[in-house]
Amino acid sequence: MYLQRFRLVKSSSQVEAVLRFMVRSASDNILVYRRLLAETGVDAHAFRGPEDLEQLPIVDKSALLHDVTIDQLLHRRSKPARCVRVHTSGYTGVPIDIYMSWAEAAYRSWNVVRAWRRLAKLPTLFRLADLGTWVGGEPGKRVLNRAGISVLRIAQALPVEQQIDMLRDFVPHVISGPPTMLELLAWGMRDRRIAFDQLRLVASR
């Protein structure tokens, strides 16, 4: 049963069971969702599956950010200091922090890398350039090594010319970033007639 959680293709009964668990767990353990469900009169323990999804309240960023603390947003047994925290870019004008366990963060990363390897022939140890991320301080970049992957994170605020120079020194196999950042990079590379010979994949996110 434990290994079935990690299967990408699940039966309809497994999907229903996962949905029931998520809704009930949110109601029992996360104060913000318990309040939202109570306000809309939804009984989480009567939730059956996909046919009941339309009964659930729609949650937007304002509901998650207005007058709430991090303890009210997370599972009652979670400890924020022990979680992995990632940031959305805030392209809608409202950036948000996302907390997850180390196990979930590793599983998500593994799924992304597995998809990339299906799409392109990547070396066992490859270099990833991640554009448009939040990188504090100078010089607007950070290099990390994660499970055999060398990751260059480049700040969104850097001029495109400077980003291209960093990429040329890094020689990436994969470039990932928001569509707007990738488009600016492509125009900049074309104008300077620059190509990255080792590049195997460009991944939009």
Side-chain angles (χ1 to χ4, degrees):
M1 287 296 293
Y2 180 78
L3 293 177
Q4 288 180 352
R5 292 175 54 198
F6 298 96
R7 292 175 55 189
L8 296 183
V9 178
K10 300 182 185 295
S11 68
S12 58
S13 61
Q14 288 174 323
V15 171
E16 290 175 0
V18 169
L19 285 173
R20 284 195 299 271
F21 171 80
M22 289 176 64
V23 172
R24 293 172 185 177
S25 179
S27 176
D28 292 342
N29 300 295
I30 303 174
L31 183 59
V32 166
Y33 290 123
R34 183 158 66 247
R35 287 175 178 170
L36 285 169
L37 291 169
E39 289 171 1
T40 51
V42 175
D43 180 2
H45 289 269
F47 182 87
R48 294 167 297 171
E51 66 270 24
D52 290 339
L53 283 173
E54 62 181 13
Q55 299 177 15
L56 299 180
I58 294 175
V59 181
D60 57 18
K61 286 183 178 179
S62 62
L64 300 178
L65 295 174
H66 181 67
D67 249 353
V68 294
T69 64
I70 189 62
D71 292 332
Q72 295 171 334
L73 286 168
L74 299 183
H75 191 286
R76 60 188 174 87
R77 290 197 297 271
S78 65
K79 300 190 184 316
R82 296 183 182 178
C83 293
V84 175
R85 185 177 67 168
V86 296
H87 311 271
T88 65
S89 55
Y91 279 102
T92 61
V94 184
I96 195 170
D97 290 341
I98 300 169
Y99 292 78
M100 64 186 85
S101 69
W102 285 95
E104 181 179 1
Y107 177 61
R108 287 172 178 268
S109 297
W110 174 77
N111 267 329
V112 170
V113 171
R114 187 170 72 158
W116 287 348
R117 290 194 184 280
R118 284 204 311 267
L119 293 169
K121 191 173 183 179
L122 299 175
T124 303
L125 307 178
F126 67 89
R127 293 180 296 277
L128 161 66
D130 188 21
L131 307 182
T133 58
W134 185 89
V135 181
E138 297 293 339
K141 70 173 182 178
R142 186 165 52 148
V143 178
L144 307 169
N145 290 294
R146 300 277 177 84
I149 303 173
S150 183
V151 182
L152 169 66
R153 289 186 170 164
I154 300 179
Q156 175 181 332
L158 290 179
V160 174
E161 294 77 11
Q162 192 173 347
Q163 294 184 39
I164 291 174
D165 290 338
M166 290 178 176
L167 291 170
R168 190 163 53 179
D169 292 338
F170 186 67
V171 195
H173 297 103
V174 179
I175 296 177
S176 174
T180 50
M181 299 294 297
L182 295 175
E183 182 181 15
L184 290 172
L185 176 67
W187 285 111
M189 290 173 61
R190 191 200 69 164
D191 292 344
R192 292 176 59 178
R193 297 185 179 181
I194 291 176
F196 303 129
D197 294 336
Q198 297 296 318
L199 187 62
R200 297 289 180 268
L201 180 69
V202 176
S204 173
R205 58 173 171 76

